Amino acid sequence: MTLAVRVIPCLDVDNGRVVKGVNFAHLKDAGDPVELAARYDLAGADELTFLDITASSGNRGTVLDVVRRTAETLFIPLTVGGGIRSVDDVDALLRAGADKISVNTAAILRPSLISEISQRFGNQVLVLSVDARRNTNSPSGFEVTTHGGRESADIDALEWVSQAVQLGVGEILLNSMDADGTKSGFDIEMISKVRKRISVPLIASGGAGKAEHFVAAARAGADALLAASIFHFGEVSIGEVKDSLRSAGITTR
């Protein structure tokens, strides 16, 4: 059975507002997360990803409130990431209405966090967000970055996704930091290399600029396709993406 490819808008949230930039800089306000979430649900999104891009312990309370209000408007799965450092953080977000949790920096610093979350809640709730970029010094040609792509984690991206799946991650969200916000297309080579290394679903992110880009990423092995600014600013609609996928013979929901 061929699984349907999912189309997922991403809300990058900073202090309760959705923002978008290029390579995680020059951020522009893109609206209220609760309003955007409701709009995407009606527009046919299969899931929604909510990333608190400046998460710190200081604003966790506000974020829980925004997550709760966002979840209340949705009839589709909601993934929340940003600042998740413990099993208790996951518990609080699931209680606030999140369906899945995305971890990134905390898992790099302490990989055992992956096993702890997966053993307590099941791997179906756990997404590993991997901010990867090209680096010829890395064995696979791709390295993991932290701090919104600004710093190298000195970890090979393909080795990291393989290790994370063994530890209990249920899904990989692969962000191309080189392509992020450029609208020049997904990093097809990176998607296909990661696809060959993992058995769990792969979400491709970074670089979407037009509907055909989503087709190329799905053909490279992505199970789900994530984008932000082109949806937020109305450049491409979710319906147009799904039409392109179907025209290319790719099953959608």
Side-chain angles (χ1 to χ4, degrees):
M1 187 182 97
T2 307
L3 287 177
V5 169
R6 291 166 285 147
V7 179
I8 307 175
C10 181
L11 307 180
D12 293 320
V13 179
D14 180 12
N15 292 320
R17 297 291 292 177
V18 177
V19 294
K20 194 57 199 152
V22 178
N23 304 123
F24 283 69
H26 312 298
L27 299 178
K28 285 194 293 191
D29 187 283
D32 174 65
V34 181
E35 286 173 19
L36 277 171
R39 201 168 82 201
Y40 286 135
D41 197 337
L42 288 171
D46 298 305
E47 292 182 18
L48 192 72
T49 293
F50 178 116
L51 298 178
D52 178 3
I53 60 168
T54 50
S56 66
S57 52
N59 65 13
R60 178 54 60 219
T62 324
V63 169
L64 276 176
D65 176 56
V66 179
V67 168
R68 194 174 287 111
R69 288 188 295 119
T70 303
E72 282 167 1
T73 68
L74 291 176
F75 297 94
I76 53 176
L78 173 64
T79 300
V80 179
I84 295 163
R85 299 177 185 90
S86 69
V87 166
D88 289 343
D89 290 340
V90 175
D91 188 58
L93 284 163
L94 293 175
R95 288 174 190 277
D99 299 284
K100 294 192 268 189
I101 299 301
S102 170
V103 293
N104 185 340
T105 307
I108 292 169
L109 297 172
R110 193 170 68 84
S112 59
L113 177 64
I114 293 170
S115 313
E116 290 165 17
I117 295 171
S118 153
Q119 282 161 19
R120 173 141 173 212
F121 303 103
N123 75 341
Q124 78 284 349
V125 307
L126 185 57
V127 180
L128 179 74
S129 183
V130 181
D131 293 335
R133 69 181 174 199
R134 290 168 179 266
N135 182 342
T136 50
N137 296 322
S138 233
S140 68
F142 297 96
E143 68 169 354
V144 177
T145 69
T146 60
H147 300 84
R150 291 188 293 277
E151 295 181 24
S152 171
D154 292 322
I155 302 172
D156 183 79
L158 268 67
E159 286 170 17
W160 175 228
V161 296
S162 302
Q163 181 192 354
V165 170
Q166 286 170 351
L167 287 169
V169 157
E171 199 163 25
I172 299 287
L173 168 54
L174 181 66
N175 307 304
S176 166
M177 302 316 291
D178 299 312
D180 177 75
T182 63
K183 300 181 188 169
S184 55
F186 293 91
D187 189 326
I188 300 304
E189 184 192 354
M190 186 165 76
I191 293 166
S192 53
K193 279 190 169 183
V194 170
R195 173 74 282 159
K196 290 182 182 118
R197 289 288 282 267
I198 61 168
S199 52
V200 300
L202 173 61
I203 307 166
S205 168
K210 49 190 180 184
E212 304 87 85
H213 290 157
F214 292 83
V215 174
R219 285 182 171 149
D223 301 282
L225 308 159
L226 181 141
S229 57
I230 63 164
F231 291 147
H232 300 339
F233 301 118
E235 295 162 47
V236 178
S237 72
I238 290 162
E240 286 167 340
V241 169
K242 289 192 171 186
D243 287 345
S244 275
L245 290 166
R246 289 184 197 116
S247 298
I250 296 162
T251 307
T252 66
R253 290 187 179 174

